[in-house]
Amino acid sequence: MRTLVIGDLHCPAVHPNYLEFCKAMQKKYKTNNTVFIGDIIDHEAISMHDKNPDLPGPLEEYKAALKEVYWWYKAFPNATVCIGNHDARVHRKSNKHGVPSMYLKSFSELYNTPKWNWVMEVDYDGVLYTHGDGWGGMYPSFNAAKARLQSVVCGHHHSIASINWIKGPNTMYFGMNVGAGIDQSNPVFQYSKAHLKKAIISCGIVIDGKQPYLEIF
């Protein structure tokens, strides 16, 4: 299996050239499997943090995100989507207020992506793909790989694009952070304006579960 790993999009705050970049990497590596590593949607308007009054409200943000998702679904109609912490903001908020999940639309229905498989995590060729919000440190995916004794690919940490290896007596594992596909200048990221660390626009490729590659935009 030749897997293309697409970084956090945060629609509608995705980098304007990231889609063409990912399509070019699909062609370059002849990938036949696609994983979105999470945070397809930003959901700034319904977060539990302080709101920016100059940004669109929830309905306007949803409509703008839906337009962006359309183009990604058109380019990668058969894909697995790891559910990120931003994707799950609606569910977390409904849980807080005691609303059962049965009252919520599925991600596929909400974003008109019937062929996308939305999951918390997935294993392909012995490699775990997960969003990564449960892991920290300088190399979060590597920490996960060491703890799980399994190769791990994750996103979530926009300013980290890395591949690290660890070898035991009989096996080797890698941890890969795939960076992101966001537009750092978008107003939804105003909170990070003073941060010294910035998003690395990149994507990942994993060949047969054994050889990871990073491509930086």
Side-chain angles (χ1 to χ4, degrees), residues 96-193:
K96 180 180 179 180
H97 295 286
V99 179
S101 58
M102 61 178 284
Y103 289 105
L104 302 177
K105 290 183 177 180
S106 68
F107 289 107
S108 288
E109 183 180 5
L110 188 61
Y111 297 109
N112 195 25
T113 56
K115 293 183 179 180
W116 279 4
N117 181 30
W118 295 73
V119 297
M120 294 305 298
E121 59 186 32
V122 66
D123 186 309
Y124 288 123
D125 291 334
V127 178
L128 180 74
Y129 298 83
T130 183
H131 181 55
D133 47 314
W135 298 95
M138 184 176 293
Y139 302 111
S141 62
F142 188 49
N143 292 336
K146 289 186 292 183
R148 294 181 60 95
L149 299 179
Q150 177 184 17
S151 293
V152 175
V153 177
C154 70
H156 184 64
H157 305 272
H158 300 169
S159 61
I160 304 175
S162 64
I163 300 173
N164 302 89
W165 291 88
I166 185 169
K167 184 176 182 179
N170 302 306
T171 56
M172 287 181 65
Y173 305 113
F174 66 84
M176 178 165 69
N177 279 80
V178 297
I182 66 169
D183 179 2
Q184 189 86 58
S185 66
N186 191 288
V188 304
F189 300 115
Q190 186 175 10
Y191 66 88
S192 64
K193 188 174 181 179

Side-chain angles (χ1 to χ4, degrees), residues 43 46-48 85-107 110:
H43 280 144
I46 60 170
S47 75
M48 297 179 184
N85 57 303
H86 280 250
D87 300 317
R89 275 180 169 175
V90 174
H91 293 77
R92 295 208 312 272
K93 210 162 192 178
S94 66
N95 289 341
K96 180 180 179 180
H97 295 286
V99 179
S101 58
M102 61 178 284
Y103 289 105
L104 302 177
K105 290 183 177 180
S106 68
F107 289 107
L110 188 61

Side-chain angles (χ1 to χ4, degrees), residues 45-109:
I46 60 170
S47 75
M48 297 179 184
H49 303 294
D50 292 338
K51 309 297 187 299
N52 184 338
D54 294 327
L55 292 177
L59 186 57
E60 291 75 17
E61 183 185 20
Y62 165 72
K63 291 179 178 178
L66 191 62
K67 290 180 180 178
E68 291 286 351
V69 171
Y70 167 82
W71 294 109
W72 286 92
Y73 185 67
K74 185 176 181 180
F76 304 100
N78 297 290
T80 300
V81 181
C82 295
I83 298 169
N85 57 303
H86 280 250
D87 300 317
R89 275 180 169 175
V90 174
H91 293 77
R92 295 208 312 272
K93 210 162 192 178
S94 66
N95 289 341
K96 180 180 179 180
H97 295 286
V99 179
S101 58
M102 61 178 284
Y103 289 105
L104 302 177
K105 290 183 177 180
S106 68
F107 289 107
S108 288
E109 183 180 5

